[in-house]
Amino acid sequence: MGESIWIRERSSPYSPLLILITISSLLACCGANFHRDVDVTWGHDHANISDDGRLLTLTLDRLSGAGFQSKKAYLFGKFDVEMKLPPGNTAGIVTTFYLTTAEKHEEIDLEFLGNLTDDPYTLHTNVYTHEVGHREQEFSLWFDPRQDFHKYTILWNPLIIIVFVDDIPVRVFNNREAVGVPYPNTKPMKIKASIWNGEKWATRGGLVKTDWNEAPFTASYRNLEIQTKNRPQWPLTQGLDKAGKKLLRWVRQTHMIYNYCHDPKRHPRECRHFIDI
């Protein structure tokens, strides 16, 4: 059985038709194998694939970090991975999972910013369109991502991007091209992931540096799943049902710690056009 979510198809802006359909009827599902479906792109001796291709680890030390990318690029889809982040004092360490184009930078970005042992990780998200980012939203997670694996998802279709953590929506980015806000919908993207030293900015604006006595730092990835469209008629919108909207509001009220649209020093013009649900 596929996962059921609400799909909204619009014949006009004034006559929405809501239909409940099953994702499996629209998506070609691929449980990825790291041996078969990704390439280690840097830090080859700091990356390891095991468990018959189901587990990939990336390690950072003073010499190098590491990263991988999917062999294929995708135009729209649903991309899941389970991650376990490095334990202990990880201040300055950045662990990532994201989609990005090969040229004319467009990106849907999840970066996990490490912290001191007793302080929580920060999930830093961003959307780059037409080579411009600066659309940051940050969240404190409601669990310790160092203790166990948790699922992180990017859902991307022509009219909406949704980021999920353990199937709970944390960020929505709608297509607002009609009012002049760029949206990534023409260039295929590859899945990428990495671990690297971001001590100049990652923890408390760079005030807390990486403690190399804690190295090596190892991030683990498993159960990478890629679902892409397998028929020409991709739904016009794929959004959240009532329960999903309620969860999104809960995340914003209790776990959002930064939103570029609410930054008084920035006042991005595009934010006046955003209706996030």
Side-chain angles (χ1 to χ4, degrees):
M1 290 181 62
E3 175 188 358
S4 294
I5 67 171
W6 282 103
I7 306 296
R8 177 182 293 125
E9 294 192 357
R10 290 190 179 97
S11 57
S12 78
Y14 308 102
S15 59
L17 172 64
L18 291 176
I19 56 174
L20 183 65
I21 64 176
T22 302
I23 285 180
S24 60
S25 68
L26 295 170
L27 301 179
C29 179
C30 173
N33 181 287
F34 287 112
H35 281 305
R36 180 190 65 218
D37 297 314
V38 309
D39 293 315
V40 175
T41 50
W42 63 285
H44 290 76
D45 57 349
H46 286 61
N48 183 62
I49 299 174
S50 60
D51 193 20
D52 294 325
R54 291 186 289 267
L55 176 69
L56 188 153
T57 59
L58 300 177
T59 297
L60 170 70
D61 58 24
R62 284 183 178 272
L63 297 177
S64 180
F68 69 85
Q69 70 177 22
S70 60
K71 293 179 183 292
K72 296 180 180 180
Y74 306 92
L75 184 60
F76 310 127
K78 183 171 179 280
F79 309 90
D80 299 309
V81 72
E82 293 181 1
M83 296 171 60
K84 184 178 180 181
L85 301 184
N89 178 4
T90 56
I93 307 305
V94 181
T95 309
T96 71
F97 175 70
Y98 61 106
L99 305 177
T100 189
T101 56
E103 57 184 22
K104 294 185 178 180
H105 189 199
E106 297 193 333
E107 188 168 299
I108 304 167
D109 199 14
L110 278 65
E111 296 183 333
F112 301 85
L113 311 184
N115 213 331
L116 299 172
T117 302
D118 295 328
D119 293 334
Y121 265 80
T122 294
L123 171 57
H124 174 98
T125 68
N126 205 345
V127 177
Y128 286 79
T129 58
H130 298 187
E131 302 184 328
V132 177
H134 307 300
R135 298 181 176 93
E136 303 93 343
Q137 289 185 1
E138 293 184 343
F139 307 87
S140 62
L141 297 173
W142 49 94
F143 53 84
D144 187 346
R146 296 169 273 213
Q147 297 299 317
D148 204 350
F149 283 90
H150 292 267
K151 185 168 75 169
Y152 305 95
T153 301
I154 299 172
L155 174 64
W156 171 43
N157 71 28
L159 290 188
I160 198 168
I161 295 164
I162 309 176
V163 175
F164 297 86
V165 176
D166 285 337
D167 297 319
I168 295 175
V170 300
R171 177 166 191 176
V172 169
F173 186 83
N174 285 290
N175 185 334
R176 294 288 181 252
E177 289 182 306
V179 291
V181 180
Y183 184 85
N185 60 7
T186 60
K187 300 179 182 66
M189 299 196 197
K190 287 191 173 185
I191 302 164
K192 289 194 176 185
S194 59
I195 186 170
W196 46 281
N197 179 23
E199 67 177 4
K200 291 183 178 180
W201 68 276
T203 305
R204 300 182 189 175
L207 294 177
V208 184
K209 303 301 183 182
T210 301
D211 182 356
W212 292 109
N213 293 321
E214 297 283 332
F217 305 96
T218 298
S220 301
Y221 299 77
R222 73 180 186 188
N223 292 337
L224 176 65
E225 188 169 291
I226 303 163
Q227 300 179 69
T228 58
K229 60 179 183 179
N230 64 355
R231 62 160 87 172
Q233 294 296 325
W234 184 262
L236 290 180
T237 68
Q238 183 166 305
L240 298 173
D241 61 13
K242 186 175 181 179
K245 293 175 183 179
K246 183 177 180 179
L247 286 170
L248 181 63
R249 286 192 294 271
W250 171 76
V251 170
R252 288 175 173 165
Q253 292 168 2
T254 61
H255 293 281
M256 178 180 278
I257 56 179
Y258 179 80
N259 184 350
Y260 77 110
C261 282
H262 299 162
D263 190 332
K265 297 179 181 179
R266 297 175 65 177
H267 296 295
R269 292 184 60 190
E270 67 185 50
C271 290
R272 72 184 69 174
H273 301 295
F274 283 175
I275 304 172
D276 290 335
I277 295 181

